[in-house]
Amino acid sequence: MKQLSTKELIQIQQKLVPDLLQEMKRRYRILQQINLTQPIGRRSLAQSLTTTERILRGEVEFLKDQGLILTETIGMRLTDAGRQLLHSLDEVIRELEGFRELEERLSKLLDIPRVLIVPGDSQQDPLVKREMGYLAARLIKEQLTEGVLAVTGGTTIAAVAEMMPKAQASRPVEVLPARGGVGENVEIQANTIAALFAGKLGGTYRMLHVPDNLSEEAYHTLLEEPHTQEYLRRIHNTRMLVHGIGQAITMAKRRGASSEILALLEREQAMGEALGYYFDANGRIVYAMNTIGLRMNDLERVQTIIAVAGGADKAAAILSVARGSRQDVLVTDEACTEAILAHV
């Protein structure tokens, strides 16, 4: 007898028991919302799900009786069983809502082996960014058991670290900032994010106390420093890289680029930025910052490269970076996906 695929099974269920699928989706959304905002009170949960406390009360009691959530004074949170069920349901819901097909289309278009898309727009709804962080964090937890994890700064990668579940035991993982970044807000500096990742993974970390954008003289001077040499020795053993993608001009201004550099980026029509490299629409590198850390020629030794970026206005930036550099996984949102598909 032929074994049914997940897609075929869902199609049969939609015809025979459509109410069951709707109920499953509703309870999945409740579990997902708790996971993204825990601990959360029932009133806040009802508001975020645009329902009433009265309607939600029965669902919460059911999930509690099933051992999927805990209700505490400070609010509700998922149990280990709840997290495992949520994880198991992810692929089913993605298939049910058509995201698997959308992911395959974007994967082929960008030539990125694996693409994960979350519903919504991360620039309009902070919870969408947290859901992107949750998917990326789950990948890291599953695939990285040892070795060096390199991470960049920024609000999106900070969300990945925040959504990383805390390891039950220590791991032989060392987390390093992918490159210098002193000068940004402390909360989104790569050093801060590396420390948060290490705490969640049960690993260790090292900081890199150098600015993101260096003069030629400062760059070569720092390269000779023993601390820098030790950092470079370790960063060259990176097993996994997790990074964001930014709009070229926006990122250059944020890093205090000179008027000459800004004029160059405008003239060369730079679209996207990653790891201090600026790409045009065809993926050509039009400018590279003097920065201590991972360089493009180091990436061929990295086992897994995960890019996390969303929002409709990141479409051109993601296209340019994908065309000019290797990416193994892209975690993005629905708004960005639609903008990319409309862009080409």
Side-chain angles (χ1 to χ4, degrees):
M1 181 180 291
K2 177 187 174 184
Q3 185 174 357
L4 296 176
S5 68
T6 300
K7 186 174 184 179
E8 290 171 329
L9 182 59
I10 288 173
Q11 289 172 342
I12 292 172
Q13 288 175 323
Q14 282 177 319
K15 292 178 180 179
L16 293 178
V17 281
D19 292 346
L20 177 63
L21 286 177
Q22 291 304 314
E23 191 169 345
M24 181 178 70
K25 287 171 66 175
R26 183 171 62 252
R27 288 173 176 166
Y28 169 83
R29 290 300 175 205
I30 294 171
L31 291 173
Q32 182 191 50
Q33 199 76 8
I34 294 173
N35 183 54
L36 295 175
T37 56
Q38 59 187 338
I40 183 172
R42 195 161 59 197
R43 178 177 297 179
S44 297
L45 182 60
Q47 290 174 345
S48 64
L49 293 169
T50 61
T51 187
T52 65
E53 285 189 72
R54 183 182 62 80
I55 293 174
L56 185 62
R57 186 180 298 113
E59 298 288 3
V60 166
E61 288 303 316
F62 173 82
L63 296 173
K64 182 181 177 183
D65 291 343
Q66 296 298 311
L68 302 176
I69 65 173
L70 290 172
T71 54
E72 303 169 329
T73 306
I74 58 174
M76 295 174 284
R77 62 174 68 248
L78 296 190
T79 62
D80 289 340
R83 282 191 293 271
Q84 290 170 8
L85 180 63
L86 184 65
H87 185 173
S88 300
L89 277 175
D90 277 342
E91 289 305 313
V92 176
I93 299 298
R94 300 174 81 73
E95 187 76 57
L96 193 61
E97 297 189 344
F99 281 97
R100 289 298 304 138
E101 183 180 345
L102 201 57
E103 288 166 351
E104 289 170 6
R105 285 180 62 194
L106 196 58
S107 172
K108 290 178 182 178
L109 176 66
L110 299 178
D111 194 24
I112 296 177
R114 187 173 186 186
V115 172
L116 294 172
I117 302 168
V118 305
D121 185 343
S122 57
Q123 291 187 330
Q124 302 299 321
D125 184 354
L127 288 184
V128 176
K129 183 174 288 188
R130 289 179 68 84
E131 189 175 353
M132 287 165 51
Y134 163 70
L135 287 183
R138 202 178 73 193
L139 278 176
I140 297 166
K141 184 182 178 183
E142 290 173 353
Q143 297 184 16
L144 186 69
T145 56
E146 61 180 3
V148 174
L149 168 65
V151 298
T152 62
T155 58
T156 304
I157 306 306
V160 180
E162 289 169 7
M163 294 306 297
M164 177 73 65
K166 192 167 178 59
Q168 299 299 315
S170 61
R171 294 187 184 191
V173 171
E174 182 177 44
V175 188
L176 300 174
R179 58 181 221 273
V182 173
E184 294 183 312
N185 294 335
V186 172
E187 295 82 3
I188 61 171
Q189 283 184 16
N191 280 332
T192 305
I193 294 171
L196 182 54
F197 266 111
K200 294 291 187 71
L201 289 167
T204 60
Y205 68 93
R206 283 176 177 252
M207 292 188 173
L208 178 64
H209 296 290
V210 298
D212 197 23
N213 197 7
L214 297 164
S215 67
E216 193 75 24
E217 183 180 358
Y219 174 69
H220 289 290
T221 299
L222 280 170
L223 282 179
E224 301 302 319
E225 290 290 328
H227 175 77
T228 306
Q229 290 291 320
E230 175 63 14
Y231 162 80
L232 290 174
R233 184 183 68 79
R234 291 175 178 274
I235 200 72
H236 287 159
N237 292 320
T238 294
R239 185 168 183 177
M240 178 181 285
L241 166 65
V242 181
H243 71 96
I245 293 173
Q247 296 169 290
I249 301 301
T250 300
M251 294 304 298
K253 288 179 177 177
R254 198 174 97 184
R255 290 171 178 147
S258 66
S259 57
E260 291 78 13
I261 297 301
L262 289 173
L264 181 149
L265 295 176
E266 292 275 10
R267 186 170 64 250
E268 297 295 332
Q269 299 183 322
M271 294 292 177
E273 181 276 339
L275 297 172
Y277 289 82
Y278 293 80
F279 302 81
D280 69 10
N282 297 315
R284 180 175 64 95
I285 296 173
V286 299
Y287 177 69
M289 295 167 55
N290 284 326
T291 183
I292 304 294
L294 282 177
R295 310 294 291 180
M296 277 295 158
N297 56 5
D298 296 322
L299 300 189
E300 61 186 27
R301 296 192 296 269
V302 178
Q303 184 173 317
T304 306
I305 302 172
I306 301 174
V308 190
D313 65 0
K314 289 283 185 76
I318 291 173
L319 271 168
S320 69
V321 172
R323 287 167 175 165
S325 62
R326 173 191 140 214
Q327 307 296 327
D328 300 307
V329 181
L330 170 66
V331 180
T332 189
D333 60 26
E334 186 178 12
C336 187
T337 300
E338 291 174 351
I340 290 174
L341 295 175
H343 197 83
V344 295

